[in-house]
Amino acid sequence: LSTDNPIDLCRYQVANCYMGRNGLINSGGASLGDGKSDLQEAVKTAIINKRGAGHGLISGRKAFQKDMQVGVDFLTAIQDVYLDPEITIA
C-alpha cells in the first residue's frame, strides 16, 4: 500500500484517518537542542505533511523552549511552508 517515500507514508496515515475526514497533525519530533537542525527538520516535516495532504504540525518543544525571537522565527518558517502556494499536494 505504500513505499518508503515519506510523502507516501503520510498519505497512508491520511487514508487511515477516515480518508482525511479526521485531520492528520504530524509531530515535529523531539528537540535536538540545536536551533539550526531543529528548524531544518521541522520545515522538512511540514513540507512532507503538506505534500501528503496532512493538516498541520505540532512544534511545541522545538519552538517554545528557546528564546522568544528564535521561537517566533521558527514558527514563522513553518507557517511559510503552509502559506506557500508553490508547495502543493504531491
Side-chain angles (χ1 to χ4, degrees), residues 21-55:
R21 288 186 295 240
N22 286 346
L24 172 67
I25 301 176
N26 284 44
S27 171
S31 178
L32 303 173
D34 176 16
K36 186 175 180 181
S37 63
D38 280 349
L39 178 63
Q40 290 172 344
E41 184 181 331
V43 169
K44 178 182 173 184
T45 303
I47 291 170
I48 291 167
N49 182 270
K50 183 176 179 182
R51 294 200 54 139
H55 290 96

Side-chain angles (χ1 to χ4, degrees), residues 58-86:
I58 297 170
S59 58
R61 289 176 281 175
K62 288 186 175 186
F64 299 111
Q65 289 183 348
K66 299 189 179 349
D67 292 333
M68 181 153 183
Q69 190 57 49
V70 174
V72 168
D73 293 341
F74 189 89
L75 294 174
T76 301
I78 293 170
Q79 286 177 332
D80 289 344
V81 169
Y82 288 99
L83 294 173
D84 189 343
E86 292 184 16

